[in-house]
Amino acid sequence: MDLHILEHRLRVTSLSKAGLERYTHGLIKLVFLRDKSRCKFFSLTEMPDDYTLVLDEEGFKELPQTDYLQVAEATWLALNVVSNGHSSTCSQTIGVTKIAKSVIAPLAQHNVSVFMLSTYQTDFILVRESDLPAVIHTLSEEFSIYKEVNGESVPVDSNNVTNGFIKPKTAASPTVHPVLSPKNQFCVMSLDPDTLPTIATILMDVMFYSASLKARSADQDLGYIRFFSFSLIDGYISIVVDTQTQKRFPSNLLLTSASSELWRMVRIGGQPLGFDECGIVAQISEPLANADISAYYISTFNFDHALVPEEDIDSVITMLQKRQNGER
Amino acid sequence: MDLHILEHRLRVTSLSKAGLERYTHGLIKLVFLRDKSRCKFFSLTEMPDDYTLVLDEEGFKELPQTDYLQVAEATWLALNVVSNGHSSTCSQTIGVTKIAKSVIAPLAQHNVSVFMLSTYQTDFILVRESDLPAVIHTLSEEFSIYKEVNGESVPVDSNNVTNGFIKPKTAASPTVHPVLSPKNQFCVMSLDPDTLPTIATILMDVMFYSASLKARSADQDLGYIRFFSFSLIDGYISIVVDTQTQKRFPSNLLLTSASSELWRMVRIGGQPLGFDECGIVAQISEPLANADISAYYISTFNFDHALVPEEDIDSVITMLQKRQNGER
């Protein structure tokens, strides 16, 4: 298997909903007017209270710096696993499950904090730029590692970086975070970027004009969550939307995966998780890998979210709650 | 002929381009998400330095009040002339020319200041609400006057309002304002509101993302002007755009008038005109009426603009410059 370290230098930010109006101008430019900006990595995830925006430096420039925008310290890099054709041991699972044992678990053991972003097309593993030596050291046995430089893949010589690697190998036993499972059913979809203008008004409505506080608390009372994710990364669009919101889009334009599966969410974290704790993704993805259950995984500024096939949600919740109660 | 006093209670505002980002959120809602707002009268005219926004109270609510937004004092009402089928004396001209002698000249003589807004569909004559008694008194001989009340047309008894009428009849001799004529050719177009989403991204780009200072000064150096007008009034869309910008839209969606005429602009005013002076529209529209030349007329916060058929621009400019030199 190959591991690619992408060129994008990323910022992870949280935009409070109260500040949205100040940011609509820049966000619309980034989403709909691609030829006006040189941003190549843009991801917006709407949560009940805020939007998590992950974007490269060109995109970050479009956002005014105000108190409404919290920016996580550090520059983040995106890693991407590419199966190079002969990975016959690969299970049929998709998403974070596929990389749980080869990437997520080893990074957690080496105290590397990760921020996951699954999309329709692939799974991005974001790590702090300063953790890159530890990442390369940890993963070079399992993977051929390449760094994208000016669009070219350049092999990384792990011996060169090992010298810089000083992190302790034993991680503290991780906090077990509470999980909750909202009732929404989600779809993971894509869209030809050339047809994006066709759904622009609906998408703007969903992203920027449907998030009233009233709607939010009605959602919560009924056990639903407001969650919507849109990403436009290297020209590929990925949309995660619940079935209720999906109905607003013309059905002939959005591509769902062949199985057209529905997904249920496991939200991880009772309190905001922060960025320093390691092993959060691992504590969720390992049991999923053991049970061979696919999962998309979307980190946001405050919480993590796994999306698992609808038919597996009960067993996943049971499994994770057992862990919470100290059972193994 | 019938004169209708429409129900909309209007504000006339100027948004500085420096403040645009703060207003994109509200403006997009007003233009593209009709079911999110109860605004029924919305007009945006982009000028080199600012946007003139004319909108009803429901629309005005969507705009944050900041130093970037200047609001003209007073509430304005829109008048609309409806030829009721048997106006055989009507000339073939369109726009302000058609109402120059019946409406514009008498109002000027009675010191009523007007703000004109021609659209693809019709011509709105905006007057201050406080001037309504004078308007009714002045125009009741020529017109049957109706007031729209809850969507119904109610005849206005002009005798009732005459008592309140105290304005002097003789107006001061008007200042003759300089005119200039940019080189752009303009089209006046319409669009089925249901197809608006199809051109949303182009329209957003033109309205909110194409107004760089650099582009502006390049325009001016070459004798062109940045001017774009969009209105959505009672469900009808009207767009005034120069031929250069028109090319960005798919040609099959926009309706031009049957003649598909091109128009040239006469901009009136060297210094910002203000709202108190009367007779500015009259001093332009009367000679046009005498020469039987059609004209759309669009007032903005600072300047007035007449659009005349391309083939008439030279004679119009000559005619207006003669007036400026005191010749008649």
Side-chain angles (χ1 to χ4, degrees), chain B residues 295-315:
Chain B
Y296 293 99
Y297 199 101
I298 299 177
S299 299
T300 64
F301 206 85
N302 291 321
F303 300 106
D304 277 9
H305 309 80
L307 293 168
V308 300
E310 185 168 37
E311 62 271 22
D312 295 320
I313 185 71
D314 292 335
S315 59

Side-chain angles (χ1 to χ4, degrees), chain B residues 27 65 129 143 178 198 248 253 261:
Chain B
L27 293 175
Q65 302 307 306
E129 190 173 35
F143 293 93
T198 322
R248 301 177 61 180
L253 290 177
E261 243 169 345

Side-chain angles (χ1 to χ4, degrees), chain B residues 53 61 63 66 89 102 105 110 112 131 146 150 158 165-166 198 222 252 254 261 275 284 292 296:
Chain B
L53 303 168
K61 277 191 217 163
L63 305 181
T66 74
T89 58
S102 57
H110 288 79
V112 174
D131 281 335
Y146 296 87
N150 300 323
S158 64
F165 173 63
I166 44 154
T198 322
L222 295 167
N252 56 332
L254 296 172
E261 243 169 345
F275 290 91
I284 304 297
D292 238 11
Y296 293 99

Side-chain angles (χ1 to χ4, degrees), chain B residues 23-328:
Chain B
Y23 289 82
T24 307
H25 188 90
L27 293 175
I28 283 178
K29 183 169 166 183
L30 292 170
V31 174
F32 297 106
L33 305 173
R34 278 179 298 153
D35 59 339
K36 294 273 165 182
S37 149
R38 286 188 295 181
C39 176
K40 299 286 180 219
F41 193 114
F42 174 85
S43 158
L44 171 152
T45 304
E46 185 188 349
M47 301 275 301
D49 295 310
D50 70 329
Y51 296 85
T52 293
L53 303 168
V54 181
L55 64 190
D56 63 18
E57 288 169 331
E58 290 289 340
F60 188 65
K61 277 191 217 163
E62 303 290 343
L63 305 181
Q65 302 307 306
T66 74
D67 290 346
Y68 294 117
L69 190 74
Q70 277 181 270
V71 183
E73 46 73 49
T75 298
W76 298 73
L77 300 177
L79 313 178
N80 195 203
V81 171
V82 179
S83 62
N84 40 18
H86 50 78
S87 51
S88 56
T89 58
C90 204
S91 81
Q92 292 304 303
T93 59
I94 61 163
V96 74
T97 309
K98 209 169 52 183
I99 53 172
K101 301 208 167 175
S102 57
V103 180
I104 303 299
L107 290 180
Q109 280 155 23
H110 288 79
N111 270 1
V112 174
S113 168
V114 304
F115 184 101
M116 278 297 304
L117 186 59
S118 294
T119 67
Y120 179 87
Q121 292 84 13
T122 189
D123 302 276
F124 295 101
I125 307 137
L126 272 58
V127 297
R128 286 191 180 85
E129 190 173 35
S130 56
D131 281 335
L132 200 57
V135 169
I136 294 172
H137 177 85
T138 306
L139 300 179
S140 59
E141 256 179 59
E142 183 97 5
F143 293 93
S144 306
I145 303 181
Y146 296 87
K147 203 167 176 12
E148 304 281 335
V149 181
N150 300 323
E152 306 264 312
S153 299
V154 180
V156 172
D157 180 355
S158 64
N159 296 322
N160 284 353
V161 296
T162 313
N163 297 334
F165 173 63
I166 44 154
K167 285 234 177 181
K169 201 177 162 158
T170 39
S173 171
T175 315
V176 176
H177 294 282
V179 295
L180 68 87
S181 175
K183 291 183 189 161
N184 322 42
Q185 298 169 304
F186 289 92
C187 322
V188 180
M189 303 190 299
S190 187
L191 177 72
D192 178 345
D194 291 338
T195 63
L196 186 59
T198 322
I199 59 161
T201 52
I202 304 172
L203 204 51
M204 287 192 298
D205 191 347
V206 167
M207 290 203 281
F208 306 129
Y209 298 91
S210 301
S212 72
L213 286 175
K214 217 169 96 188
R216 188 187 77 179
S217 65
D219 281 349
Q220 281 174 341
D221 290 351
L222 295 167
Y224 289 83
I225 193 171
R226 176 129 199 117
F227 185 93
F228 173 84
S229 185
F230 172 93
S231 64
L232 175 51
I233 299 174
D234 290 328
Y236 292 96
I237 293 174
S238 171
I239 296 174
V240 178
V241 61
D242 69 14
T243 49
Q244 204 58 35
T245 306
Q246 187 206 16
K247 287 181 196 148
R248 301 177 61 180
F249 293 91
S251 54
N252 56 332
L253 290 177
L254 296 172
L255 313 166
T256 47
S257 51
S259 63
S260 63
E261 243 169 345
L262 292 177
W263 301 80
R264 286 284 301 278
M265 177 186 290
V266 179
R267 194 187 86 166
I268 300 110
Q271 297 294 318
L273 297 168
F275 290 91
D276 291 323
E277 191 183 326
C278 304
I280 301 173
V281 186
Q283 73 176 264
I284 304 297
S285 63
E286 273 198 82
L288 293 174
N290 290 337
D292 238 11
I293 295 172
S294 294
Y296 293 99
Y297 199 101
I298 299 177
S299 299
T300 64
F301 206 85
N302 291 321
F303 300 106
D304 277 9
H305 309 80
L307 293 168
V308 300
E310 185 168 37
E311 62 271 22
D312 295 320
I313 185 71
D314 292 335
S315 59
V316 168
I317 289 291
T318 308
M319 191 161 76
L320 294 175
Q321 276 169 348
K322 270 190 196 154
R323 287 186 67 261
Q324 211 173 322
N325 301 333
E327 303 167 42
R328 291 261 162 177

